[in-house]
Amino acid sequence: MITHASPTDADFEPAEDLPGITIAMLREDEDTGGFEALIRFEAGSVIPAHTHTHADEAILVIDGDFVVDGTPHHRGAYFYVPKGVPHGASSSQGCTIFARFTAEFDSVPAD
């Protein structure tokens, strides 16, 4: 099955325990537990530093400013975070990103 979505017509839902952040699930992999999603940050939104136990994470910035560990990324920027690597994210102006997780999602607060 082919999946189609765009940031303007995707079904965004509030992210649990993350004020100002909404997620539109695009695809879930039943075998691995991985998924792909569009994620929106309102201006000033923050995801505190954390790690993922099982999933590697890949991000593509669609619009706005997406700041990872103090480094701003803008439209078209791509980065990859292997499982177990601490990272946090924020957006001063607001942004939309495409995120891919390779396995079941978890978020463990970083020390």
Side-chain angles (χ1 to χ4, degrees):
M1 177 172 78
I2 297 174
T3 300
H4 299 268
S6 75
T8 56
D9 65 9
D11 185 21
F12 285 88
E13 307 256 337
E16 187 174 329
D17 299 324
L18 295 171
I21 298 174
T22 55
I23 300 174
M25 296 297 287
L26 301 176
R27 187 185 74 82
E28 295 181 63
D29 187 319
E30 294 178 12
D31 295 330
T32 66
F35 65 92
E36 296 168 351
L38 294 173
I39 303 174
R40 280 193 181 146
F41 284 63
E42 291 180 5
S45 297
V46 174
I47 295 178
H50 62 283
T51 63
H52 304 291
T53 306
H54 307 289
D56 298 330
E57 177 179 3
I59 300 290
L60 179 67
V61 180
I62 296 172
D63 63 34
D65 72 318
F66 185 64
V67 181
V68 178
D69 296 334
T71 302
H73 302 274
H74 300 280
R75 183 180 183 166
Y78 166 86
F79 64 94
Y80 174 81
V81 182
K83 65 183 173 187
V85 174
H87 59 289
S90 63
S91 181
S92 61
Q93 302 168 1
C95 68
T96 303
I97 62 171
F98 170 82
R100 181 174 189 269
F101 292 85
T102 60
E104 185 175 342
F105 179 82
D106 69 347
S107 182
V108 179
D111 294 330

